[in-house]
Amino acid sequence: MGGIATGKQAVALSSGFCGTPLKKIVSPAKSASVSFAVRAAGYDEELVKTAKTIATPGRGILAMDESNATCGLRLASIGLDNTEVNRQAYRQLLCTTPGLGEYVSGAILFEETLYQSTTDGKLMVDCLKEQNIVPGIKVDKGLVPLAGSNNESWCQGLDGLASRTAAYYKQGARFDKWRTVISIPNGPSELAVTEAAWGLARYAAISQDNGLVPIVEPEILLDGSHSINRTLEVAEKVWSKVFFFLAENNVLFEGILLKPSMVTPGAECPERATPEKVAEYTLTLLKRRVPPAVPGIMFLSGGQSEVEATLNLNAMNQSPNPWHVSFSYARALQNSVLKTWKGQPENIEAAKKALLVRAKANSLAQLGKYSAEGEAEEAKTGMFVKGYTY
C-alpha cells in the first residue's frame, strides 16, 4: 500500500492489519497530527501473547462452557440430577485430567466453573494453569428473538460487559467467548447479519479493553437442507460484515481468535460432503475473508460426530495455512467422556482416558496426521440437534 493511509484505511491499519496499532499518523502534506482510538488499559502485548499461546501447534480448545441448564441435559443423559455437586464432579473430571495440556491450550468455562473449586479445595482455574491451559470464560447472555426479523435471534450481554470482563480477568480468565448464530433457512436477513456482526465487534472491543482475548463466534447453524454452496455464500457475507465492524471498533486482529462453523451442507441436505470437500470450501472462505494477522481459527463442531469433526479438521491441515487451524470442541470432545463416566466414581480414570483419546486425536488432526483407523463406532455417531441451544 503506497503513501499514508487515510479515512477508513487508517482505521483498519490502526486495528491491527499491519502489526502494532497506530496511535498517530502525521500527514506530510499538512504536518498535522491525526489521532486514533487506542485501548487505554495497555493490554496489547498481553493479548497477542495469550492468543499465540492458545494457537500453539498440536493444541486446541476444550469448550466446557455449557450453561447450567444445558449441563443438566448432559447429566440427565447419564441418569444424573442437575445439581451443583454433580456439575462440579463432572467439570473437576475434565480439569484434572493428567496430560491434557499436551493437547489442549485453552478451556472455555461457564461462570460457575470460573469461581468453583475441586473437592480438594483447589480452584478449577489453577488446575488448568498447572497444565499450561489458559482459562477462558463464556460472557454472552444467550439468544433472544430479534424483533423485526424473520424469526431470527440476536445475542444479549453487552450491558455490564466491561465490569464483568474486568472481574473475570482478576479471577484468572485470559480469553472469553461470545456466540451468536445465523440461520440459513430463515434468510438470513440483512438485519440479523448486521446485528450479529455489530454485537461481536462491540464485545471484542470491550473484552480487549479489559485484557481478555475475544473469541469471535458467528455460528452458521447446520439446521436446514441447503447445499454446501449456499453455506459458503452465507458465510462469506457474514464474515465480511464481521471484519468490517471489527475494524470500525479498533479491534486488534493479532489479539483475537475465531470460532467459525465449518462450511458443510445443511444437516438435512441429502448430498453429504467428504472431509476433502469440507476442507476445500472452508479454506476458501477463510482465505477470502480472514486476514493473516489473526493468529488462530478454532473450529466448532456444531453437532458433527466426534470422528467427522476430527476428519474434517485433519483435511484442512494437509498443507500450510496462514493461521493456526485447530479445534474448540464441546460435544466432539466430551461425548465419549460422559458415556464412559456415567456418574460413577469408579469410572473417573477411564473417563479421563477417554478425554485424552479424543484430545490426542484432534491434536493429531491439527498437525494433519490423524487417521480414523481403530475409532469406535460410537465416536462416529452424529450429535446434531435441531434448534440446539446451550
Side-chain angles (χ1 to χ4, degrees):
M1 187 185 308
I4 301 295
T6 59
K8 288 185 180 178
Q9 248 183 356
V11 173
L13 286 172
S14 72
S15 306
F17 276 107
C18 299
T20 304
L22 304 177
K23 295 184 180 179
K24 185 178 287 186
I25 293 179
V26 178
S27 167
K30 297 182 180 180
S31 297
S33 63
V34 182
S35 297
F36 296 88
V38 178
R39 280 166 298 283
Y43 286 110
D44 286 5
E45 288 186 8
E46 183 180 354
L47 292 169
V48 172
K49 182 179 178 182
T50 298
K52 285 182 176 178
T53 297
I54 295 172
T56 49
R59 298 208 296 168
I61 294 174
L62 169 61
M64 47 181 289
D65 58 317
E66 299 90 349
S67 67
N68 287 347
T70 301
C71 191
L73 295 176
R74 304 277 171 84
L75 294 173
S77 73
I78 57 171
L80 292 184
D81 292 333
N82 185 15
T83 65
E84 183 176 354
V85 170
N86 286 335
R87 293 194 301 269
Q88 177 197 38
Y90 180 57
R91 290 161 175 166
Q92 178 174 325
L93 184 162
L94 298 174
C95 290
T96 60
T97 297
L100 187 62
E102 184 177 348
Y103 313 119
V104 169
S105 54
I108 312 172
L109 311 178
F110 190 62
E111 187 176 63
E112 179 180 73
T113 318
L114 184 70
Y115 292 92
Q116 204 167 41
S117 297
T118 67
T119 50
D120 294 331
K122 180 183 289 187
L123 286 170
M124 301 279 189
V125 168
D126 292 336
C127 295
L128 295 170
K129 288 180 179 178
E130 286 178 359
Q131 294 210 60
N132 195 28
I133 298 174
V134 182
I137 177 73
K138 168 186 165 71
V139 297
D140 67 77
K141 293 294 185 180
L143 301 168
V144 292
L146 177 61
S149 73
N150 184 29
N151 196 29
E152 295 164 288
S153 303
W154 69 283
C155 188
Q156 57 188 347
L158 290 177
D159 289 351
L161 183 59
S163 59
R164 286 192 289 120
T165 49
Y168 297 150
Y169 182 92
K170 288 181 181 178
Q171 186 63 17
R174 288 298 178 267
F175 71 100
D176 58 358
K177 191 201 83 165
W178 177 285
R179 173 188 181 254
T180 192
V181 302
I182 297 294
S183 170
I184 292 180
N186 291 355
S189 67
E190 186 67 24
L191 173 63
V193 173
T194 300
E195 174 61 41
W198 179 255
L200 284 166
R202 289 306 306 141
Y203 139 78
I206 293 168
S207 296
Q208 288 190 338
D209 265 354
N210 291 285
L212 301 184
V213 169
I215 289 185
V216 177
E217 182 184 357
E219 180 178 353
I220 313 294
L221 295 172
L222 281 176
D223 303 61
S225 58
H226 50 276
S227 69
I228 192 170
N229 286 300
R230 176 59 176 157
T231 304
L232 177 61
E233 178 186 7
V234 171
E236 286 184 341
K237 178 180 180 180
V238 171
W239 281 102
S240 176
K241 189 148 289 192
V242 167
F243 275 98
F244 173 78
F245 284 134
L246 287 172
E248 290 287 292
N249 281 272
N250 298 299
V251 172
L252 176 66
F253 285 4
E254 291 87 347
I256 68 173
L257 295 167
L258 304 185
K259 185 172 179 175
S261 321
M262 297 178 189
V263 179
T264 66
E268 298 168 65
C269 177
E271 185 179 346
R272 305 315 299 160
T274 64
E276 291 73 25
K277 189 168 186 179
V278 170
E280 177 191 356
Y281 273 71
T282 304
L283 291 175
T284 294
L285 166 67
L286 297 182
K287 290 171 182 175
R288 288 176 178 175
R289 291 293 182 266
V290 182
V294 175
I297 318 290
M298 322 300 285
F299 282 100
L300 58 90
S301 55
Q304 300 176 72
S305 74
E306 292 177 325
V307 170
E308 183 183 9
T310 309
L311 282 170
N312 288 339
L313 178 62
N314 186 70
M316 281 184 264
N317 282 298
Q318 292 307 301
S319 57
N321 292 303
W323 333 265
H324 176 77
V325 176
S326 192
F327 60 92
S328 178
Y329 293 165
R331 286 172 286 174
L333 281 176
Q334 298 181 44
N335 193 48
S336 296
V337 180
L338 264 174
K339 292 183 176 181
T340 302
W341 177 46
K342 298 177 182 176
Q344 302 300 317
E346 61 269 23
N347 294 336
I348 288 177
E349 292 309 311
K352 289 182 176 182
K353 288 179 181 177
L355 176 59
L356 287 179
V357 167
R358 294 267 37 100
K360 183 178 181 180
N362 286 289
S363 170
L364 290 170
Q366 198 288 310
L367 299 170
K369 299 178 180 179
Y370 168 74
S371 168
E373 185 177 349
E375 287 277 20
E377 286 302 312
E378 178 68 31
K380 300 176 183 177
T381 304
M383 294 175 280
F384 170 73
V385 177
K386 192 170 184 177
Y388 177 72
T389 59
Y390 74 104

